[in-house]
Amino acid sequence: MTPLTSSSKFKGVDILLTSQWPRGVWHYANNPEVNTKLCGSNSIASLADKLKPRYHFAALEGAHYERLPYRNHVVLQENAQHVSRFIALAAVNNPAKKKYLYAFNIIPMKTIDPAELVKQPQDVTENPYRCPTKDKMDTQKTAFSATEEEEPANQYFFDLSKKQGGGSRGHGRKRHSDGDGRGRDQQHHQGQPKQPRRHPQPSGPCWFCLASPQVEKHLVISIGTHCYLALAKGGLTPRHVLILPIGHYQSVVDLSSEVVEEMEKYKSALRKFYKSKGERCVLFERNYRSQHLQLQVVPVPLNRCATEDIKEAFMVQAQEQQMEMMEIPEHTDLKQIAPPGTPYFYVELDSGEKLFYRIQKHFPLQFGREVLASEAVLNIPTRADWKECKQSKEEEEESCKQLRDDFQPYDFTWDE
């Protein structure tokens, strides 16, 4: 393979078929419904990284998984290349009726116009197989330690351990099957230290994991590496948006450092965008009876009310409902106040002031909208419930297109 991939004329392959999944293919993207502790091969990952397939199909895990497309180049450091797509298919006629067929048309890359070939789709992510540089290693470990462990030495066909039985190499030795077509390393469950906690998985269909079939992709405005921006369904105003993590995270306090960093970039971009429209930015999060983080971002006209008025509106309405909302120092990390798993309501004002309420038992689900829709702020009380503000899909598509065009000059993902 080395002579092939080292040639300057080699651009990649159109289709790669493997039995095993590549190890870590889920990095930077949506999590598959498989046990990532035991899933995938580093050898296949290395193969996919070098061959740069436009489509990579695998089926050994018996699960359907379509990963977001990923780049095969480093932005601003290497020439643009085509993207790769990984698709895993379930077993034929499986009882759960998971997808086991994939039909598509593909034009060989050698016949495609080079400029057309390297076009990057809006939902493209970083390459999942590229090793992090030394200065990013600690951050990278934090991001992935909760979702996976070291790859077991035993593979589906061959044992990759240095010693096996009496031999010193052990290569070429078949792995024993446990009856379902997949081998198991019996020692993995015996005498091993306790493994890191796995990254939380959605308990059911998730409307906000970007790769989920339930996501209404026509509402998406911008997609970064770790987060994306979407038009709020039934928004309070035409520019009411959500900042959401691409992967499955329940709340802000669960986020890894690189997701937090990109979320802050979206906040900064939105503040500049709203300011250009004569508006101030109010953010709030309800970590209660929700399984995927939704950071609500609502613009309020500067001439409508001051930041102090918005702050007072939250405090007063909380007090009216016997809720003690507290102000927290501007630079205080929310994780210090609300450990993961703590239900809470959180507000961030454009002044940098932050309001916090630790939810005890019951909490009005529309509280944030009710405050902002009240007479004291936007004075649109009939829009407090998003279900009363629904638009047709065609209207949503038009609203999203307009907002996407307006936001583009402030969208940092275009620069990257």
Side-chain angles (χ1 to χ4, degrees):
M1 184 177 68
T2 302
L4 173 67
T5 57
S6 61
S7 169
S8 60
K9 295 182 179 180
F10 179 76
K11 303 299 182 185
V13 299
D14 286 305
I15 298 174
L16 173 63
L17 304 177
T18 63
S19 293
Q20 288 175 284
W21 285 28
R23 184 107 177 125
V25 66
W26 47 86
H27 290 179
Y28 302 120
N30 44 307
N31 286 322
E33 294 180 354
V34 298
N35 185 349
T36 54
K37 296 177 183 177
L38 299 173
C39 174
S41 162
N42 284 326
S43 298
I44 299 297
S46 177
L47 181 71
D49 185 34
K50 289 180 170 60
L51 289 182
K52 304 171 187 173
R54 291 170 65 199
Y55 286 86
H56 180 179
F57 294 92
L60 189 61
E61 295 298 323
H64 171 234
Y65 173 61
E66 293 191 34
R67 190 205 184 279
L68 295 171
Y70 62 84
R71 298 186 183 96
N72 282 299
H73 66 278
V74 179
V75 177
L76 300 181
Q77 295 182 31
E78 299 174 337
N79 292 331
Q81 298 186 47
H82 62 273
V83 301
S84 292
R85 290 173 168 82
F86 175 75
I87 298 153
L89 298 172
V92 176
N93 292 327
N94 63 88
K97 300 187 182 300
K98 294 179 181 178
K99 188 172 180 179
Y100 62 87
L101 284 175
Y102 187 89
F104 69 111
N105 292 320
I106 183 169
I107 302 172
M109 68 168 66
K110 65 180 182 180
T111 64
I112 299 178
D113 177 72
E116 189 69 26
L117 178 65
V118 301
K119 278 188 176 179
Q120 306 292 296
Q122 195 172 33
D123 56 351
V124 69
T125 77
E126 295 301 321
N127 189 311
Y129 312 126
R130 299 291 171 87
C131 293
T133 55
K134 188 175 180 62
D135 61 325
K136 295 181 180 178
M137 187 67 76
D138 291 338
T139 302
Q140 201 75 8
K141 283 182 179 178
T142 301
F144 302 140
S145 64
T147 60
E148 63 183 85
E149 301 170 10
E150 289 300 317
E151 178 186 11
N154 286 352
Q155 296 293 291
Y156 182 61
F157 293 110
F158 298 99
D159 182 352
L160 299 181
S161 62
K162 294 182 179 179
K163 293 184 179 181
Q164 181 73 23
S168 60
R169 297 190 178 182
H171 62 194
R173 184 167 191 165
K174 275 199 173 181
R175 184 180 177 188
H176 296 292
S177 169
D178 65 357
D180 68 350
R182 281 179 284 179
R184 292 288 185 269
D185 183 357
Q186 295 179 354
Q187 293 181 353
H188 181 80
H189 302 287
Q190 300 173 9
Q192 293 288 342
K194 187 176 180 180
Q195 299 296 346
R197 178 173 62 90
R198 288 190 69 208
H199 181 76
Q201 302 293 314
S203 57
C206 182
W207 291 91
F208 301 103
C209 286
L210 190 56
S212 170
Q214 286 79 25
V215 169
E216 297 189 69
K217 290 188 170 62
H218 67 283
L219 298 175
V220 175
I221 297 166
S222 167
I223 300 177
T225 303
H226 306 286
C227 304
Y228 71 101
L229 199 66
L231 180 71
K233 198 171 182 67
L236 278 166
T237 72
R239 287 186 281 273
H240 177 179
V241 300
L242 308 177
I243 306 176
L244 307 111
I246 291 173
H248 189 77
Y249 294 90
Q250 183 171 323
S251 68
V252 164
V253 298
D254 292 311
L255 297 178
S256 57
S257 57
E258 64 267 32
V259 183
V260 171
E261 184 180 346
E262 188 166 88
M263 191 164 278
E264 290 298 325
K265 291 175 74 173
Y266 268 121
K267 288 182 188 179
S268 177
L270 285 167
R271 289 188 186 104
K272 293 175 183 176
F273 170 56
Y274 290 147
K275 188 176 181 180
S276 73
K277 300 292 185 181
E279 298 167 326
R280 69 177 82 256
C281 180
V282 180
L283 301 97
F284 68 88
E285 178 200 1
R286 170 176 54 81
N287 181 30
Y288 173 73
R289 292 182 62 182
S290 60
Q291 65 166 340
H292 191 113
L293 165 61
Q294 304 157 53
L295 191 60
Q296 308 267 347
V297 191
V298 182
V300 176
L302 292 169
N303 59 9
R304 177 69 201 169
C305 57
T307 302
E308 194 61 34
D309 297 327
I310 300 172
K311 176 182 175 182
E312 185 179 1
F314 274 105
M315 300 294 266
V316 169
Q317 289 210 32
Q319 190 173 15
E320 287 177 356
Q321 301 195 40
Q322 287 76 53
M323 299 186 303
E324 186 178 355
M325 186 165 284
M326 58 181 285
E327 184 173 351
I328 59 177
E330 182 178 344
H331 298 292
T332 299
D333 190 340
L334 198 58
K335 292 181 181 180
Q336 296 174 275
I337 301 172
T342 304
Y344 64 83
F345 179 80
Y346 169 76
V347 182
E348 191 173 321
L349 303 171
D350 63 331
S351 60
E353 294 173 287
K354 301 175 183 178
L355 307 177
F356 175 84
Y357 172 66
R358 181 165 182 161
I359 298 173
Q360 303 299 326
K361 290 185 178 180
H362 305 293
F363 184 79
L365 300 183
Q366 303 296 334
F367 179 73
R369 289 182 63 115
E370 287 170 357
V371 173
L372 294 177
S374 68
E375 183 179 354
V377 186
L378 290 170
N379 194 23
I380 45 174
T382 58
R383 299 188 69 83
D385 188 344
W386 72 271
K387 294 178 183 176
E388 302 299 322
C389 309
K390 286 183 178 179
Q391 296 178 297
S392 68
K393 185 174 181 180
E394 290 73 21
E395 290 173 324
E396 289 175 338
E397 287 175 339
E398 182 59 34
S399 298
C400 190
K401 182 182 182 301
Q402 181 64 54
L403 186 53
R404 191 183 297 120
D405 291 343
D406 290 348
F407 180 65
Q408 184 183 329
Y410 304 89
D411 189 351
F412 62 90
T413 64
W414 284 76
D415 299 329
E416 296 176 356

